[in-house]
């Protein structure tokens, strides 16, 4: 009886496919954790690098570092206030765009567009919560 090679080929393909699946799954897990960690510490790590560079290159004293931290805190709060002041105008422009888009859609397209708008808004809320 002559042994066939079909079972061997199938076994090798199965092993290869399982390796690919494990690799893809691991990459997705790794990428998700790295991206989340990067978002959470981006501004704080930038601030630490900035302060450290100012300290090393300019030779800041401890008192100057405290003053620099106060300046950075002040600028952060002013930036957030300016952003909050502009937000209503930006939202108004967005709402106008959505209404103009709705005006060109048929009755059949309206419900699907509403779903799309809702999904976009949910993503925006998630991003804002992460900040």
């Amino acid at each position: 009886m002559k042994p066939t090679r079909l079972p061997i080929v199938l076994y090798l393909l199965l092993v290869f496919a399982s390796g690919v699946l494990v690799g893809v799954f691991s990459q997705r897990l790794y990428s998700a954790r790295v991206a989340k960690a990067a978002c959470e510490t981006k501004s704080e790590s930038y601030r630490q690098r900035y302060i450290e560079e100012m300290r090393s290159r300019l030779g800041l004293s401890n008192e100057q570092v405290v003053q620099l931290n106060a300046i950075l805190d002040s600028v952060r709060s002013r930036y957030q206030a300016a952003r909050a002041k502009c937000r209503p105008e930006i939202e108004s422009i967005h709402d106008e765009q959505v209404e103009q888009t709705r005006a060109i859609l048929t009755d059949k397209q309206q419900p699907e567009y509403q779903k799309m708008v809702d999904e976009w808004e949910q993503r925006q809320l998630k991003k804002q919560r992460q900040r």
Side-chain angles (χ1 to χ4, degrees):
M1 208 182 221
K2 189 174 184 183
T4 63
R5 293 185 182 191
L6 183 62
I8 295 171
V9 170
L10 289 176
Y11 178 72
L12 289 175
L13 285 175
L14 179 65
V15 169
F16 179 75
S18 65
V20 169
L21 287 174
V22 168
V24 168
F25 182 69
S26 322
Q27 179 63 29
R28 287 182 58 97
L29 283 176
Y30 177 76
S31 296
R33 288 184 184 153
V34 170
K36 184 177 180 184
C39 291
E40 291 173 351
T41 62
K42 185 177 179 180
S43 64
E44 199 55 42
S45 68
Y46 170 77
R47 182 180 178 139
Q48 292 302 319
R49 285 193 317 263
Y50 178 77
I51 291 171
E52 192 54 41
E53 184 175 4
M54 294 286 283
R55 180 182 283 176
S56 66
R57 291 183 69 177
L58 302 177
L60 296 180
S61 68
N62 288 339
E63 183 180 321
Q64 289 173 315
V65 170
V66 170
Q67 291 172 344
L68 180 60
N69 273 317
I71 291 168
L72 293 176
D73 289 340
S74 169
V75 168
R76 178 186 289 168
S77 64
R78 288 177 54 206
Y79 175 76
Q80 289 172 344
R83 206 168 158 192
K85 191 187 305 182
C86 292
R87 184 168 300 282
E89 186 175 352
I90 291 170
E91 287 176 358
S92 166
I93 293 168
H94 177 263
D95 292 344
E96 185 179 313
Q97 177 244 324
V98 168
E99 290 306 315
Q100 288 174 349
T101 304
R102 272 197 185 105
I104 66 169
L105 298 177
T106 65
D107 290 338
K108 185 178 177 183
Q109 294 168 327
Q110 291 280 344
E112 187 61 30
Y113 181 68
Q114 185 59 46
K115 284 183 191 176
M116 291 171 61
V117 169
D118 292 342
E119 290 169 3
W120 291 330
E121 289 175 354
Q122 289 299 321
R123 280 189 289 235
Q124 286 300 104
L125 287 174
K126 272 186 171 178
K127 285 181 185 179
Q128 288 175 359
R129 289 181 196 145
Q130 290 176 350
R131 292 180 191 167

